[in-house]
């Protein structure tokens, strides 16, 4: 992936530093894994539907090697340098800030939870097993489908060998509905710092250090972890503090060799983040994300309505700045197409540490009102916004945004 979006000066044109780090990375990962752009989001496990049980024997944790998706093949090699052809509009060139871990020390980690039936295929409690007629899932899973197996890049509870050095982890929560609160725990029980450098849509202005990182479905976090203080031979476990039983484990890193520390985390990561102010907004809109009735059954609604592909729910003028207030009854994962936004507030209070940067998915907690601000620029046309809990989305929680 790095080769694809970090092709070097003169190759990536018309793409800002944030875009290089954010959109490209996420789309690249989706292309590699076949994950649909609308695949995932919802409630904390304690308040979500029943967890599915797998009918196959499950492997012990941290034995399966972590698969790493392949990167684009170069179109040629000259003098030891690989060549990639990327056609973009010509514009100012920006490159990533120097010093971040790269190459084999930059790892895409797509985390999902799944359950398996006895022939090894995926268990899914669809109302229509053919997935063609009636949308939705059976009663205990209405809040979102949880699996009992945690997969990283498709492998159950994998392990990856690392140098005693900094690594850059490109985390995507590709789960349907499972939330994670990730911690990296060393052999001595101490937590390693998770230094966040990027959000959904690219680099932050400056790093934010977490001990526990909340990751809602569809969110992406760009995080640097330093294994240099871990003893060679020891295991650093990545755990989910919201999981129970085996779903507390996610994956592990085995530190296998000493290494020279040649990477760093720059104090300034980007200087081009939009700084929209509340006073820039020409509209403030409220959207309630709530349970309700749809086609005589259970649904998940935005503004009291289930999705209608033919209806325009919101019309905005191209170039306008707006504030949207997203009000949630349960955990929802509000995802806007077309634009990135910034989180202004949660229940009238300042945003949380992990709300930093430019985002396209935000997770209001039950009973919370989250304010976001964005400028609707780009292209006129019809776009979607929706809850990224896959089950909520399938049961109506989607709406049309018309940019005119
Ligand atoms: Cu939802």
């Amino acid at each position: 992936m790095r080769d694809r979006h970090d092709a070097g000066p003169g190759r990536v044109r018309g793409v800002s530093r944030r875009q290089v780090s954010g959109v490209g990375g996420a789309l690249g990962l989706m292309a590699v894994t076949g994950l649909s752009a609308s695949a995932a989001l919802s409630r904390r496990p304690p308040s979500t539907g029943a967890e599915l049980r797998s009918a196959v024997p499950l492997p012990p944790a941290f034995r399966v090697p972590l698969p790493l998706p392949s990167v684009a093949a170069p179109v040629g090699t000259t003098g030891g340098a690989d060549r990639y052809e990327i056609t973009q509009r010509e514009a100012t060139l920006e490159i990533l800030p120097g010093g971040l871990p790269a190459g084999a020390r930059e790892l895409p980690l797509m985390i999902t939870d799944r359950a398996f039936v006895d022939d090894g295929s995926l268990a899914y409690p669809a109302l229509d097993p053919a997935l063609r007629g009636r949308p939705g899932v059976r009663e205990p899973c209405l809040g979102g489908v949880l699996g009992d197996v945690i997969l990283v890049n498709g492998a159950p509870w994998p392990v990856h060998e690392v140098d005693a050095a900094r690594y850059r982890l490109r985390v995507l929560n590709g789960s349907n509905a499972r939330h994670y609160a990730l911690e990296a725990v060393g052999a001595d029980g101490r937590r390693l710092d998770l230094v966040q450098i990027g959000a959904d849509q690219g680099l932050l202005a400056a790093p934010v250090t977490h001990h526990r990182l909340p990751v809602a479905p569809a969110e992406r976090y760009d995080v640097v972890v330093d294994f240099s203080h871990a003893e060679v031979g020891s295991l650093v476990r990545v755990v989910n503090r919201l999981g129970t039983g085996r779903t507390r484990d996610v994956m592990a890193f085995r530190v296998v060799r000493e290494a020279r520390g040649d990477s760093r985390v720059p104090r300034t990561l980007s200087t081009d983040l939009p700084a929209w102010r509340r006073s820039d907004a020409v509209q403030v809109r409220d959207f309630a994300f709530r349970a309700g009735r749809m086609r005589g059954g259970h649904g998940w609604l935005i503004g009291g309505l289930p999705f209608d592909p033919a209806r325009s729910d919101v019309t905005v003028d191209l170039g306008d700045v707006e504030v949207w207030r997203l009000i949630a009854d349960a955990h929802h994962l509000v995802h806007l197409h077309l634009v990135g936004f910034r989180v202004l507030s949660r229940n009238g209070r300042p945003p949380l540490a992990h709300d930093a940067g430019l985002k396209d998915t935000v997770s209001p907690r039950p009973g919370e009102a989250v304010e976001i601000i964005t400028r609707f620029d780009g292209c006129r046309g019809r776009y979607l916004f929706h809850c990224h809990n896959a089950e909520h989305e399938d049961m109506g929680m989607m709406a049309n945004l018309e940019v005119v």
Side-chain angles (χ1 to χ4, degrees):
M1 286 183 63
R2 182 169 188 280
D3 292 338
R4 181 185 316 195
H5 58 63
D6 192 10
R11 305 229 174 91
V12 182
R13 287 171 183 270
V15 178
S16 77
R17 180 182 290 174
R18 270 182 303 99
Q19 287 167 321
V20 165
S21 148
V23 180
L27 292 182
L29 188 56
M30 285 177 180
V32 164
T33 58
L35 182 81
S36 96
S38 55
L41 255 278
S42 182
R43 304 204 213 175
R44 265 162 216 270
S47 62
T48 311
E51 185 175 283
L52 302 179
R53 291 281 153 200
S54 292
V56 290
L58 300 175
F62 318 142
R63 296 278 176 80
V64 181
L66 173 74
L68 292 172
S70 57
V71 299
V75 297
T77 302
T78 318
D82 290 339
R83 194 161 59 83
Y84 297 82
E85 283 182 6
I86 299 169
T87 308
Q88 298 249 345
R89 274 175 300 178
E90 196 152 342
T92 316
L93 179 73
E94 285 188 277
I95 56 170
L96 289 168
L100 289 171
R105 293 184 188 165
E106 180 181 359
L107 304 173
L109 302 179
M110 184 184 69
I111 306 171
T112 57
D113 63 329
R114 297 285 183 257
F116 300 89
V117 297
D118 50 12
D119 69 355
S121 57
L122 292 173
Y124 192 74
L127 291 175
D128 171 13
L131 300 172
R132 288 168 184 277
R134 194 169 167 210
V137 289
R138 291 196 297 272
E139 171 72 34
C141 299
L142 290 173
V145 173
L146 303 177
D148 61 348
V149 180
I150 306 297
L151 305 168
V152 184
N153 297 346
W157 302 287
V159 62
H160 188 65
E161 294 189 347
V162 293
D163 304 333
R166 280 189 200 84
Y167 276 70
R168 180 178 179 189
L169 310 179
R170 313 290 298 268
V171 177
L172 160 69
N173 181 354
S175 309
N176 283 32
R178 186 181 288 280
H179 287 245
Y180 299 80
L182 297 179
E183 290 182 4
V185 183
D188 57 1
R190 272 201 290 233
R191 293 182 297 184
L192 281 70
D193 284 349
L194 301 171
V195 181
Q196 186 191 349
I197 58 167
D200 301 331
Q201 298 227 344
L203 292 167
L204 306 183
V208 176
T209 298
H210 306 272
H211 290 119
R212 178 178 295 185
L213 180 67
V215 187
E219 283 189 317
R220 287 90 73 206
Y221 288 91
D222 198 343
V223 174
V224 173
V225 177
D226 189 353
F227 296 112
S228 67
H229 303 297
E231 221 172 291
V232 169
S234 71
L235 206 61
V236 175
R237 293 175 305 129
V238 178
V239 299
N240 176 18
R241 290 297 176 202
L242 300 176
T244 52
R246 294 209 62 186
T247 63
R248 278 178 86 82
D249 287 329
V250 176
M251 68 170 294
F253 294 97
R254 181 162 305 276
V255 183
V256 291
R257 65 187 79 80
E258 298 286 353
R260 245 189 55 231
D262 56 356
S263 67
R264 63 189 189 92
V265 178
R267 266 192 285 186
T268 299
L269 295 160
S270 73
T271 52
D272 62 346
L273 277 171
W276 304 299
R277 285 162 310 175
R278 196 180 288 276
S279 55
D280 298 333
V282 298
Q283 280 275 2
V284 178
R285 301 180 201 262
D286 281 0
F287 296 95
F289 288 73
R290 294 210 174 96
R293 305 291 294 172
M294 179 181 80
R295 295 198 216 164
H298 185 281
W300 292 98
L301 316 177
I302 301 177
L305 296 172
F307 182 52
D308 178 352
R311 182 187 68 226
S312 253
D313 297 281
V314 189
T315 302
V316 306
D317 287 323
L318 183 70
D320 275 1
V321 174
E322 297 200 359
V323 169
W324 286 17
R325 223 156 63 98
L326 314 167
I327 303 145
D329 61 346
H331 270 287
H332 293 291
L333 303 143
V334 183
H335 173 60
L336 271 66
H337 292 196
L338 177 68
V339 291
F341 54 76
R342 308 209 61 182
V343 179
L344 274 185
S345 72
R346 285 183 181 260
N347 270 358
R349 296 212 176 88
L352 300 172
H354 68 282
D355 291 327
L358 194 62
K359 294 181 62 62
D360 55 41
T361 306
V362 67
S363 176
R365 297 172 293 188
E368 200 169 50
V370 171
E371 285 184 309
I372 60 171
I373 186 166
T374 190
R375 182 190 297 279
F376 291 92
D377 51 13
C379 297
R380 292 183 176 85
R382 183 176 273 195
Y383 301 88
L384 293 164
F385 63 102
H386 58 97
C387 180
H388 223 301
N389 175 314
E391 283 69 44
H392 295 193
E393 179 189 331
D394 285 355
M395 290 184 277
M397 199 164 253
M398 173 128 52
N400 277 313
L401 158 70
E402 196 97 34
V403 181
V404 297

